[in-house]
Amino acid sequence: SEDVIERLLAGSRLIFIPTEREDNLKFNRQEAEKVVELLQTIRRVLQAQGRFSADSVGVITPYRAQIAEIYHRLDDELRSKLTIDTVERYQ
């Protein structure tokens, strides 16, 4: 839940959230859902502090298929305010 994620994020900037392995090597649905939950929590916390903007959060993932999976699950506000891309594109 978002409260658990918020407590984890408050304690450390690095957390591990386990997900089940899937047969598809280019994207993972459960992992995408966890990323969206994290992003929703980060938005809620940063909005409360008045610091949520288009350049405050970015997501790096190795595959474009995972980018599409994450974008598919985002609401319009998050989709418009986030950058989600591959390592190569961030470089």
Side-chain angles (χ1 to χ4, degrees):
S1 87
E2 286 187 10
D3 292 334
V4 172
I5 292 171
E6 187 173 342
R7 283 195 305 272
L8 287 170
L9 289 171
S12 175
R13 290 186 55 107
L14 175 65
I15 58 175
F16 177 76
I17 301 172
T19 57
E20 296 293 321
R21 178 179 219 122
E22 289 187 15
D23 291 335
N24 188 322
L25 299 177
K26 301 288 184 179
F27 69 91
N28 181 301
R29 288 177 186 90
Q30 185 183 32
E31 197 173 273
E33 186 60 39
K34 296 293 182 186
V35 168
V36 171
E37 288 176 27
L38 279 167
L39 293 171
Q40 290 167 339
T41 301
I42 291 167
R43 172 181 51 190
R44 184 170 39 85
V45 170
L46 290 180
Q47 278 179 336
Q49 299 171 358
R51 298 186 310 135
F52 186 70
S53 65
D55 61 351
S56 59
V57 179
V59 177
I60 300 172
T61 186
Y63 300 110
R64 299 209 56 79
Q66 187 70 0
I67 294 169
E69 188 68 26
I70 294 167
Y71 268 123
H72 172 73
R73 296 166 182 273
L74 292 174
D75 60 45
D76 289 340
E77 180 191 22
L78 281 173
R79 200 176 291 119
S80 70
K81 289 197 173 183
L82 296 175
T83 301
I84 303 174
D85 224 325
T86 62
V87 174
E88 292 82 12
R89 300 274 314 232
Y90 265 100
Q91 290 176 340

